[in-house]
Amino acid sequence: MTEIVRADVLGQRVDAATMETAVAAILAEARLGRAGWVCVANVHMVTLARRDAELRAAMAGAFLVTSDGMPLVWCLRRRHPWIERVAGPDLMRALCAEAGGLPIFLLGGAPAVAERLEAVLTATFPGLVIAGRASPVIAARPGADAETQTRIKASGARLVLVGLGCPKQELWMAANATGTGVLCIGVGQAFDLLAGTRARAPLWMQRAGLEWLHRLAQEPARLGPRYLVSNLRFAWYLVVDRLGLRHQA
């Protein structure tokens, strides 16, 4: 099994891994009872981290940063041709399939989505233990959250799946994972996709790096400005870095 290699894209931490190595590392860490967090990075996260010191620090301090977006995979394959895309929904599904009774806590999503997600997961993965779930109102720039920390610790969970969206989930994990005593995984839109409240892009769009276009068609008003900015910035940063002009970005 290929080892996970700490790497970067455009100066931001994104590790080279396969789905197998990522899942094995996360579950091993969770079974040892170690606290920490895992970021699932895409183009939006990488470009945002260039301008957001807190997010950049959260990625740097993570146990693992996987490559969710295909453009990140393509960048990393120049140095690590064996890597795979480790996207939030796929990672969440794989973790649930391999958890083997490891108690899991679901944090985030609308209450109805979280309830439906728990039902879907327990029906899909016999033996999966959902220790608890919570859909608290969390600030856009979250800090210490003693109430949720206490709730997670009391549940006996060993792994927390966090579906708050970027950068809220990364900032929440960096501020609270140690206090929970649990390994936290930021899985973004995976809650909606696995609960079935949103449809995922066809496989060919995922492989072609066009999953963002499918999401844009579903939520143009919310995601249009985000994708316009992040995709253009990512392309510009690639040019700037290739020309050795990073200080101008």
Side-chain angles (χ1 to χ4, degrees):
M1 185 168 62
T2 307
E3 293 183 359
I4 295 172
V5 177
R6 184 157 177 157
D8 76 90
V9 174
L10 297 176
Q12 310 310 310
R13 180 180 169 199
V14 183
D15 300 327
T18 65
M19 182 63 73
E20 181 183 5
T21 56
V23 170
I26 290 168
L27 292 180
E29 194 78 352
R31 289 184 177 117
L32 288 172
R34 292 174 177 163
W37 62 94
V38 174
C39 300
V40 178
N42 55 19
V43 164
H44 174 62
M45 188 185 296
V46 166
T47 55
L48 191 58
R50 298 262 296 210
R51 295 167 174 263
D52 188 324
E54 284 187 90
L55 176 58
R56 187 162 61 249
M59 293 172 70
F63 169 68
L64 175 66
V65 181
T66 75
S67 51
D68 181 300
M70 280 306 299
L72 307 187
V73 174
W74 295 330
C75 288
L76 288 170
R77 277 183 178 163
R78 291 181 297 172
R79 292 164 286 167
H80 310 290
W82 44 266
I83 81 156
E84 297 173 351
R85 185 186 183 198
V86 183
D90 302 323
L91 178 60
M92 182 171 166
R93 182 179 291 276
L95 289 171
C96 290
E98 300 293 333
L102 193 73
I104 291 175
F105 193 98
L106 305 174
L107 176 64
V113 172
E115 181 179 1
R116 177 174 171 80
L117 176 63
E118 180 176 356
V120 169
L121 292 178
T122 53
T124 305
F125 304 103
L128 180 67
V129 178
I130 303 296
R133 55 182 164 83
S135 302
V137 176
I138 294 176
R141 307 291 298 189
D145 182 356
E147 182 178 348
T148 305
Q149 287 182 27
T150 299
R151 187 167 179 177
I152 290 170
K153 284 190 287 189
S155 75
R158 301 292 290 276
L159 193 67
V160 181
L161 298 172
V162 186
L164 299 174
C166 175
K168 184 187 292 188
Q169 66 193 12
E170 288 72 33
L171 301 182
W172 187 92
M173 292 189 298
N176 294 282
T178 300
T180 67
V182 177
L183 187 63
C184 302
I185 321 295
V187 295
Q189 65 162 342
F191 277 30
D192 283 308
L193 296 181
L194 270 65
T197 54
R198 288 198 181 278
R200 193 172 183 187
L203 190 57
W204 71 266
M205 294 187 79
Q206 297 177 39
R207 290 174 174 170
L210 295 174
E211 193 163 8
W212 66 271
L213 191 58
H214 184 269
R215 290 193 66 197
L216 177 60
Q218 293 179 315
E219 300 181 84
R222 184 176 76 86
L223 295 179
R226 165 179 151 175
Y227 284 138
L228 177 64
V229 172
S230 62
N231 289 0
L232 288 176
R233 278 184 176 163
F234 186 78
W236 170 243
Y237 290 153
L238 284 176
V239 172
V240 166
D241 280 32
R242 185 67 61 88
L243 296 176
L245 301 173
R246 183 178 294 181
H247 65 281
Q248 294 184 14

